[in-house]
Amino acid sequence: MSVSKFKKLATIATAAVSVSVLLTACQGKKSSSSTGTKTTKHSIALITDNNAIDDHSFNEAAWNGFKAFGKKHGLKQGKGGYQYFESSSAADFTPNANEAASSGFETIFGVGYQLTSAIKSAAKKNPKKNFVIIDDVISGQKNVASVTFESNQASYLAGIAAAYTTKTNHVGYIGGAKSATLELFEAGFKQGVEAGAKALGKKIKIDDQYIGNFTSTDKAKSIAQSMYASGADIIYHAAGNAGNGVFTEAKDINKNRKASKKVWVIGVDVDQSSLGSYTSKDGKKSNFVLTSVLKGLDVAVERIAEKAYQGKFPGGKHSVYTLEGNGVSVTKGNIDSKTWSKVQAARKQILNGKVKVAESVSDLK
């Protein structure tokens, strides 16, 4: 059996039509005849990293873009329409990309820089297919489009929000696997916190630690526990699925405190506010997600899929998404109105060039 894990789909039967149940986890559901030949010509596939499609983060954001594209064009989930291939480990990346191509999907997206080598390889093996790498750049291959995000810009705004919200003057950052991509989050956040602290005339301590991967929720929880115990009252995570451990720890702490004494989490990739709902010790329903740093993955994948649909696939090109046009952004979340005005002012400063956000931690020194 293939390593890809397609969702199993139930049999649908009517008096006129019978569609067989798919018996393996290696095939997607064939779309109905109402979608016509476009379903094959414009079909799209998503190759995940080694987190599930419903990771409340990176993969889920991209999949939302797929579903929006499918709805717009009347495409069905499955072969001939749109589908995802989940990867259990890095060993699955290349086989999944090649299987997507051999299954007839025309435009294949690799979600995350960890899939760069797999997309390079599959693109060379399948030169007539379109490939997209998210969060990295592949040069010299005309059938590969590259997409990156200036996440440091939105992370700077999260840092401003943290600086104006913290009561302990102590915050934390937890990253997944350290890389140039993850340093964008760390550098932007630290610069934002420092800028906010300077404006407020105070010093704010910033803890930082990397998990080493994007899957170890237990380790993320343990790191968060240590940071909160040492006095941090806000933690920004950029750790994918592993970041769910940060939310678990914050909830464990907050449910044993009064709502006014809560610790906060700053989410990433998608609006993670749904993970922060809880009932405090004093019986109040509350939420501990201060804000979420959004990557417009849904926008990016839908936009590129649309270009492919129109016969204008941007092969060989590199698209960069920034604060302009909300390619990256932050949610209002639970930021108070005064702090939100500071966040919006900082956004304008970045857009008009008055503030240049660092791309790596070394740029801050």
Side-chain angles (χ1 to χ4, degrees):
M1 181 178 287
S2 165
V3 291
S4 18
K5 302 177 181 68
F6 274 30
K7 283 187 173 180
K8 295 182 180 179
L9 302 170
T11 303
I12 301 174
T14 67
V17 181
S18 176
V19 182
S20 298
V21 178
L22 298 179
L23 297 177
T24 72
C26 314
Q27 295 177 303
K29 178 181 177 181
K30 294 182 179 179
S31 51
S32 66
S33 59
S34 63
T35 55
T37 57
K38 289 183 179 179
T39 58
T40 298
K41 186 177 180 181
H42 302 294
S43 58
I44 55 177
L46 177 66
I47 315 301
T48 75
D49 59 15
N50 53 345
N51 288 309
I53 197 71
D54 56 350
D55 61 354
H56 304 297
S57 188
F58 208 70
N59 294 317
E60 185 174 311
W63 184 239
N64 286 339
F66 267 57
K67 290 187 289 186
F69 174 76
K71 182 177 182 180
K72 179 178 180 180
H73 293 289
L75 302 179
K76 304 292 184 179
Q77 183 181 343
K79 190 172 182 180
Y82 63 98
Q83 188 57 281
Y84 64 82
F85 292 68
E86 282 188 347
S87 305
S88 297
S89 69
D92 295 345
F93 297 161
T94 299
N96 278 350
N98 284 322
E99 185 181 340
S102 64
S103 296
F105 291 96
E106 289 299 311
T107 303
I108 299 156
F109 293 74
V111 183
Y113 67 88
Q114 295 179 93
L115 282 89
T116 301
S117 294
I119 294 299
K120 278 184 180 180
S121 175
K124 287 179 180 178
K125 186 175 179 179
N126 303 278
K128 293 184 178 181
K129 300 290 186 180
N130 301 324
F131 288 84
V132 183
I133 183 65
I134 303 291
D135 257 359
D136 205 351
V137 179
I138 294 176
S139 303
Q141 292 184 239
K142 293 183 178 180
N143 63 330
V144 181
S146 303
V147 176
T148 59
F149 300 84
E150 293 194 1
S151 303
N152 53 326
Q153 294 183 342
S155 296
Y156 179 94
L157 302 185
I160 292 290
Y164 278 86
T165 302
T166 179
K167 294 179 179 178
T168 63
N169 294 329
H170 188 173
V171 301
Y173 166 81
I174 298 177
K178 194 165 187 176
S179 66
T181 299
L182 266 291
E183 275 215 24
L184 288 171
F185 293 90
E186 181 183 4
F189 180 66
K190 286 183 173 179
Q191 186 179 350
V193 171
E194 290 168 359
K198 183 177 180 180
L200 290 164
K202 64 181 183 180
K203 291 185 178 180
I204 299 176
K205 182 180 179 181
I206 307 172
D207 292 333
D208 62 88
Q209 190 169 341
Y210 281 85
I211 299 165
N213 58 59
F214 295 96
T215 58
S216 299
T217 54
D218 287 349
K219 187 172 181 180
K221 186 179 188 302
S222 177
I223 294 171
Q225 182 182 44
S226 178
M227 286 186 180
Y228 286 131
S230 67
D233 59 349
I234 302 172
I235 293 177
Y236 172 36
H237 91 91
N241 190 61
N244 287 312
V246 180
F247 289 92
T248 301
E249 179 59 26
K251 184 170 288 189
D252 286 347
I253 292 172
N254 286 332
K255 67 185 182 182
N256 291 307
R257 292 185 178 187
K258 291 182 178 181
S260 60
K261 301 291 185 180
K262 75 177 69 170
V263 296
W264 298 95
V265 177
I266 295 176
V268 75
D269 293 336
V270 296
D271 183 353
Q272 295 188 311
S273 58
S274 63
L275 301 178
S277 297
Y278 75 104
T279 301
S280 65
K281 185 178 180 181
D282 47 341
K284 295 181 179 179
K285 291 188 179 299
S286 191
N287 190 288
F288 59 78
V289 176
L290 180 62
T291 181
S292 294
V293 172
L294 306 184
K295 255 185 177 179
L297 277 93
D298 53 342
V299 175
V301 299
E302 184 179 0
R303 189 170 296 173
I304 290 180
E306 186 64 31
K307 287 182 179 180
Y309 187 92
Q310 296 170 355
K312 300 177 181 179
F313 179 72
K317 296 182 179 180
H318 174 204
S319 301
V320 181
Y321 289 79
T322 71
L323 281 179
E324 189 169 357
N326 290 321
V328 295
S329 60
V330 294
T331 62
K332 172 67 165 59
N334 287 294
I335 298 174
D336 64 53
S337 57
K338 181 180 178 180
T339 299
W340 184 243
S341 68
K342 300 296 183 182
V343 169
Q344 293 305 300
R347 181 179 185 276
K348 289 180 181 178
Q349 289 180 320
I350 294 171
L351 289 174
N352 63 27
K354 290 184 179 180
V355 170
K356 180 174 175 54
V357 185
E359 297 182 354
S360 70
V361 176
S362 62
D363 293 338
L364 299 175
K365 299 176 180 179

